[in-house]
Amino acid sequence: LARQSAAAVAGPPEGVALFVRTATFTPLAMRAVAFRDSWVPPLPPHTAPGGDAWGVFSDREEGVVMALLEHTGSRARVVAACTHLFWHPQYPDVKALQASAL
């Protein structure tokens, strides 16, 4: 799940990736989802001091990469996920919203 760096930050696109040791796990399904595309109920306007956490959540590009994996030896299934959560001292609720979207 790639995203372009902010204009004020020089550098290549950034993002998250999930690597699987295919000798141990068989990927059965994989999905990348932007948090803003997931369903999370809106917060009351007073939840984040100094700003609108829902608006910040909706404008962010962070997301999650998920995979349903099957262990080759035991055939047990597991869901693995990798993400970066947004952090800003003025918007602590945005990180909580993103975590709840997982």
Side-chain angles (χ1 to χ4, degrees):
L1 182 65
R3 73 180 181 104
Q4 196 61 37
S5 297
V9 180
E14 57 182 50
V16 295
L18 183 64
F19 296 90
V20 177
R21 187 179 301 269
T22 56
T24 306
F25 291 99
T26 301
L28 302 177
M30 299 184 92
R31 187 170 182 194
V33 179
F35 289 127
R36 66 177 176 215
D37 296 335
S38 61
W39 184 86
V40 178
L43 293 174
H46 66 277
T47 305
D52 173 27
W54 182 252
V56 174
F57 174 85
S58 300
D59 290 340
R60 302 298 307 166
E61 295 182 4
E62 287 90 10
V64 60
V65 175
M66 300 175 285
L68 175 62
L69 307 172
E70 183 176 82
H71 186 260
T72 54
S74 67
R75 304 203 40 125
R77 291 184 176 182
V78 63
V79 174
C82 185
T83 187
H84 288 173
L85 299 178
F86 174 76
W87 181 84
H88 189 286
Q90 192 174 3
Y91 300 102
D93 300 324
V94 174
K95 184 191 305 188
L97 272 172
Q98 290 177 333
S100 71
L102 289 173

